[in-house]
Amino acid sequence: MKIFTIFAIGLWLGVLGFFSFAAAPALFATLDRESAGRVVTVILPRYYAFGMVMGGLALGSVVGRAVLAQRREVEWGSLVLTLLMLALTGYSMLVLLPQAEAARMAMRSVPAQAGMVSEAASAFGRAHRLSVALNLLTMLAGLTLVLIEGVRTRLSRRP
């Protein structure tokens, strides 16, 4: 069942990395800011939902291994990191995404004034910065989890 944990987290990390370091920057480099923002707004709910599904599969695998193990040992590191990844993604999806969208809509409704940053723009910036930080923390937790699983596998194969 360990392969399901590594598969789910690995696939999740691949999507996190591709969207964060390839897709989103390419959209903003190619399209005007408004159009790129609309595309990202359509992608993000699916992006977070995918993470929740992969996190759920990984969590099921970690818990399933504990239930099926003859020693009944829980792999606490893997469990905590998986739960952390799910919590960060859930918060981003359920709290930050709606905040950023509300701020984005508010920015559209208020005409920009030269030299002034609107409250909506500030709110959007805060939500975006926190979202990026949580995304990076999710990636770091995922990389750590894959490393833990790999080391544990290697150690269990020693004679």
Side-chain angles (χ1 to χ4, degrees), residues 19 30 44-46 52 54 71 83 86 95 102 108 111 113 118 121 125 131 135-136 149 154 158:
F19 180 76
T30 306
L44 280 175
R46 292 166 177 89
M52 296 301 286
M54 291 299 106
R71 297 180 309 271
L83 289 171
L86 282 166
V95 177
R108 279 185 173 171
Q113 296 178 4
S118 71
S131 175
N135 198 48
L136 289 172
E149 292 289 341
R154 187 171 176 93
R158 283 191 162 167

Side-chain angles (χ1 to χ4, degrees), residues 4-61:
F4 291 119
T5 305
I6 294 170
F7 173 78
I9 298 299
L11 192 56
W12 190 0
L13 284 171
V15 169
L16 283 165
F18 177 76
F19 180 76
S20 300
F21 301 114
L27 287 169
F28 282 95
T30 306
L31 303 173
D32 63 272
R33 189 171 195 81
E34 181 67 25
S35 297
R38 283 196 312 265
V39 172
V40 169
T41 298
V42 170
I43 293 171
L44 280 175
R46 292 166 177 89
Y47 170 80
Y48 290 130
F50 179 81
M52 296 301 286
V53 169
M54 291 299 106
L57 289 174
L59 181 62
S61 176

Side-chain angles (χ1 to χ4, degrees), residues 97-112:
L97 188 59
Q99 285 177 358
E101 182 58 20
R104 194 172 71 78
M105 295 304 287
M107 285 189 310
R108 279 185 173 171
S109 67
V110 177

Side-chain angles (χ1 to χ4, degrees), residues 33-94:
R33 189 171 195 81
E34 181 67 25
S35 297
R38 283 196 312 265
V39 172
V40 169
T41 298
V42 170
I43 293 171
L44 280 175
R46 292 166 177 89
Y47 170 80
Y48 290 130
F50 179 81
M52 296 301 286
V53 169
M54 291 299 106
L57 289 174
L59 181 62
S61 176
V62 170
V63 171
R65 286 189 313 222
V67 169
L68 295 175
Q70 293 177 350
R71 297 180 309 271
R72 303 278 188 229
E73 291 179 359
V74 175
E75 295 169 351
W76 289 106
S78 296
L79 180 63
V80 168
L81 288 168
T82 302
L83 289 171
L84 175 64
M85 292 176 73
L86 282 166
L88 294 171
T89 300
Y91 182 80
S92 295
M93 180 172 73
L94 300 173

Side-chain angles (χ1 to χ4, degrees), residues 136-150:
L136 289 172
L137 189 55
T138 302
M139 284 187 227
L140 182 60
L143 289 169
T144 304
L145 176 54
V146 169
L147 181 65
I148 286 171
E149 292 289 341

